[in-house]
Amino acid sequence: MTQSIKTVLVVDDEDQMRLALRETLTRAGYEVITAFDGNNGLSKLQNNSIDAVITDLRMPVMDGMEFLQKALQEKPGLPIVLMTAYATVNTAVDAMKSGAFDYIMKPFSPEVIESTLERVFQYHGALEQNAPAPAQKNEAAANHKAPTIITRNKRMEELIHLATDVASSSANVLVNGESGTGKELFARLLHYAGNRQDKPFVAVNCAALPDNLLESELFGYEKGAFTGAANRKIGKFEMADGGTLLLDEITEMPFHLQAKLLRVLQEGEVDRLGGSKPINVDVRIVATTNRDIQESIKEKTFREDLYYRLNVIPLHIPPLRRRKEDIALLVDHFIAKYNRKNSKSITAVTPEGMNALMNHQWHGNVRELENIIERAVVICRTQTLTPGNLFLHGTLLDIPTAGDEGQTVCVEQAQSVEEGCMPALADDDPLLIEVGTSVHEMEKRLILQTLEKCSGNRKQAADMLGITSRTLLNKIKEYRELGIHIE
C-alpha cells in the first residue's frame, strides 16, 4: 500500500527563502504550497488540504504568531513550525505556548528542516487526539533499523553485545561518554534491536531548552493551562508511549524537574500542566551524559535517587583515542559515505595522512573524525587524502610564514577556561588568530566562527567545541551583553 504524499504550506515574505524551501522539501518527497504573507497563507490553508505549515515569524501585514493563532482557529491541531532569525527564550516559550509544534532558527540546513518535518509527521496524529500516537507500526519505525556500529575494539564489541542483549528489556539505561563518541547510536541500537522497534523513538536534549519550555515539552499541557495555551500539547513522554525516550545530556536537567522525572519513572504516569488526572505511560528511558555524574551528585546538581533509577544498565563508551584500532575502519567508512554524497572517487589515505590521523588526540571523537574526512573528501583533487587535505595541524596552502608582517597563526584547538580542550572547526576555514591575541578573545572568535559554520545550530556547535549547550548559551548571552549581535 503506497503512502500518501504530505502537503506542506510554506509562508514567508522572502522570495528566496520560499524558493529554497520549495526545492528542499520537494526533493525530500513533499508536495509544497507557498504563500507570501499571513493573509495569503490563510487563504491557501482554506483552499487546500494541508498536512503541516512552516511559517516565518517576522512578516509584514500579519506576523507569524498572529498567523499561527488564526491558522489553529481554522484547523485546530495542525502542526505548525515557526522560523526565526531572532530567536530568544521568550520567542520559544511564546511559540510553544501558542501551539507551535516547534521553532527553528535561521539560517538552518536542509537536514534540520527535514528532520523537523519527520518528527511532525511521526507525531501529528497524537497532537490532534487526546491519546498517544497509534500503537501500530508507524512510518518512521518502518524506515529504521538497528544501526551498525563500526568497531573492532574489544570493549566496544562487549558494549554492543550487552546493548543487544538488554534491548528487549524495560530496564532504563544510562549511557556515559565524551561528546562525539556515539551515545545516540547506542540509544537507537537499544530501541531498534528490541521489541519496541515498531513504537516511537523520541529524543529530547535537556540542555537545548530553557527550564520552563523543557517542562512543557516533556510533560505537555492542557488547553488554558496558562495564558496563551490555546491548544492541548502532548508531551514527549506521551509521544514515546510504548517506545523509547532518549534524554540527552540528562545532567543538564534543572534540579526541580528531576523530581518530576523521578515520579514518572516510579509511578509510570505523567501529569500535563493544567491537567486534572495523571496519564499512564509505558516508556523505556535511555539517558546520556558526557559529564562525571558522580561529581554532579556531589555538587548537589543531580539527584542521587534519580541516578539509581536511570543507571539500571550502565554503558560507558570509550573515547576514540583509547580505541585507535577503529580509526582506519572509520576512515574507510566515511570516505565511502562522502564519496557517494559528493560524487568523488577517493580510494585511500596516504601513509603520512594515516599516521597523522593515528597520532591526533581526537577531543571531538568520532564526530570530529567524520567532519575532517568529509572536508578532506570535498577539497581533495586526487584519489588519495594527504596530511594537507586533513588540516589536522592548521596546514594551509596560503598560510603566512614566520616573519611575515602581520603574522597569524592557525589555531587547531583553543583552550577553554571552563570546558577544557575544544576540537578544531569542522569546516573548510581554520581560525586565524593574530599573535598576541588574548585567550578570551581567541575563545570568543572560535565560538562565533563555529556558530557561523554550523549555520546557527547551537547543539552542533557545542558538540564541535566540546562544551555543553548550556555553557554555549551562557557564552552567547555574555557576548550579547557586550553588544555582539548573534542570531
Side-chain angles (χ1 to χ4, degrees):
M1 188 169 117
T2 59
Q3 184 73 29
S4 61
I5 297 175
K6 301 294 185 181
T7 301
V8 180
L9 172 63
V10 173
V11 186
D12 198 301
D13 60 309
E14 295 182 8
D15 295 342
Q16 290 188 341
M17 177 58 73
R18 291 199 307 275
L19 178 61
L21 282 172
R22 175 189 285 278
E23 291 179 353
T24 296
L25 298 180
T26 300
R27 284 198 305 268
Y30 298 106
E31 182 178 333
V32 182
I33 297 174
T34 61
F36 52 80
D37 64 22
N39 285 328
N40 186 230
L42 289 176
S43 175
K44 296 288 179 70
L45 195 61
Q46 292 167 351
N47 297 319
N48 296 274
S49 178
I50 303 296
D51 297 299
V53 176
I54 302 171
T55 179
D56 192 23
L57 179 63
R58 293 197 174 186
M59 296 184 293
V61 183
M62 180 189 301
D63 66 17
M65 293 296 287
E66 184 181 357
F67 170 78
L68 169 71
Q69 293 164 358
K70 291 186 176 181
L72 289 175
Q73 289 175 2
E74 182 73 25
K75 294 189 176 182
L78 178 69
I80 299 178
V81 177
L82 280 174
M83 304 178 293
T84 176
Y86 308 93
T88 65
V89 170
N90 289 336
T91 302
V93 172
D94 290 344
M96 303 304 280
K97 286 183 176 180
S98 296
F101 180 89
D102 205 347
Y103 82 102
I104 53 179
M105 286 182 58
K106 290 182 178 179
F108 48 81
S109 66
E111 290 78 10
V112 168
I113 194 65
E114 288 174 19
S115 64
T116 300
L117 281 177
E118 182 180 347
R119 289 189 292 109
V120 164
F121 292 126
Q122 185 174 357
Y123 304 121
H124 77 284
L127 296 174
E128 297 171 348
Q129 304 172 23
N130 185 16
Q136 66 266 25
K137 189 165 185 173
N138 56 58
E139 181 183 358
N143 292 330
H144 285 84
K145 61 181 180 179
T148 300
I149 299 176
I150 298 171
T151 186
R152 60 162 61 104
N153 175 267
K154 183 177 179 181
R155 177 58 182 158
M156 286 288 287
E157 289 174 346
E158 291 172 349
L159 290 171
I160 292 168
H161 289 315
L162 175 59
T164 304
D165 288 344
V166 303
S168 291
S169 77
S170 59
N172 297 324
V173 181
L174 180 62
V175 186
N176 180 264
E178 294 179 9
S179 180
T181 50
K183 296 187 293 296
E184 184 168 340
L185 271 181
F186 272 88
R188 292 183 180 276
L189 175 63
L190 286 159
H191 177 75
Y192 290 107
N195 56 10
R196 294 174 181 260
Q197 61 179 290
D198 294 340
K199 305 298 175 59
F201 177 89
V202 180
V204 179
N205 188 303
C206 299
L209 296 169
D211 297 0
N212 51 357
L213 190 56
L214 178 60
E215 182 174 11
S216 63
E217 191 74 4
L218 285 173
F219 307 112
Y221 54 78
E222 293 289 349
K223 179 178 180 180
F226 43 76
T227 302
N231 296 276
R232 177 188 297 116
K233 170 77 174 180
I234 303 297
K236 299 298 187 185
F237 271 98
E238 290 180 77
M239 291 180 181
D241 189 34
T244 302
L245 179 62
L246 168 60
L247 297 176
D248 195 18
E249 297 191 59
I250 186 68
T251 45
E252 302 303 312
M253 178 177 285
F255 199 79
H256 74 279
L257 282 187
Q258 294 175 27
K260 194 165 183 178
L261 172 60
L262 182 64
R263 182 179 179 278
V264 175
L265 299 182
Q266 290 172 335
E267 307 297 333
E269 56 187 29
V270 297
D271 294 295
R272 293 188 196 137
L273 298 178
S276 59
K277 61 180 181 179
I279 299 165
N280 292 328
V281 290
D282 170 24
V283 176
R284 200 264 190 92
I285 300 294
V286 178
T288 70
T289 180
N290 57 16
R291 290 184 175 273
D292 183 340
I293 201 165
Q294 294 292 349
E295 284 299 314
S296 297
I297 292 172
K298 289 178 184 177
E299 294 168 359
K300 306 295 184 183
T301 59
F302 198 81
R303 294 179 63 108
E304 188 172 16
D305 48 2
L306 177 57
Y307 165 71
Y308 290 122
R309 279 282 177 179
L310 294 171
N311 197 44
V312 180
I313 306 291
L315 298 178
H316 182 78
I317 315 302
L320 184 58
R321 61 184 172 275
R322 293 183 185 168
R323 46 185 176 104
K324 290 196 172 183
E325 63 268 42
D326 286 346
I327 291 177
L329 279 178
L330 290 165
V331 167
D332 288 343
H333 170 72
F334 292 136
I335 287 176
K337 175 179 177 179
Y338 291 106
N339 272 342
R340 291 191 299 270
K341 291 189 71 172
N342 297 283
S343 300
K344 289 293 192 84
S345 56
I346 309 297
T347 58
V349 180
T350 64
E352 297 80 9
M354 185 57 69
N355 185 58
L357 291 169
M358 294 298 291
N359 290 319
H360 191 62
Q361 287 302 302
W362 300 116
H363 295 286
N365 292 289
V366 179
R367 184 182 294 114
E368 183 188 0
L369 174 60
E370 179 174 6
N371 289 336
I372 284 173
I373 297 301
E374 179 183 11
R375 177 180 61 200
V377 168
V378 169
I379 66 172
C380 184
R381 297 175 181 175
T382 65
Q383 289 192 313
T384 56
L385 301 181
T386 67
N389 300 135
L390 299 171
F391 292 168
L392 288 175
H393 302 291
T395 304
L396 280 176
L397 295 177
D398 58 350
I399 187 169
T401 58
D404 286 348
E405 185 176 355
Q407 179 186 4
T408 61
V409 295
C410 180
V411 178
E412 178 199 3
Q413 295 174 334
Q415 196 74 19
S416 167
V417 175
E418 295 183 354
E419 294 294 335
C421 210
M422 295 182 180
L425 293 177
D427 241 297
D428 295 1
D429 299 327
L431 182 65
L432 297 178
I433 302 291
E434 295 177 0
V435 173
T437 303
S438 69
V439 172
H440 178 75
E441 175 66 19
M442 185 170 65
E443 178 192 75
K444 182 184 74 176
R445 292 190 194 178
L446 180 60
I447 288 174
L448 294 178
Q449 187 168 332
T450 305
L451 281 166
E452 180 181 350
K453 296 298 182 183
C454 295
S455 300
N457 186 318
R458 296 178 186 178
K459 174 65 168 64
Q460 184 181 352
D463 287 341
M464 283 187 184
L465 292 166
I467 61 178
T468 66
S469 297
R470 187 175 294 276
T471 296
L472 180 59
L473 288 172
N474 289 337
K475 289 293 181 183
I476 291 173
K477 180 180 179 182
E478 173 187 328
Y479 301 149
R480 281 177 173 161
E481 289 173 351
L482 294 174
I484 301 172
H485 176 68
I486 300 176
E487 292 186 348

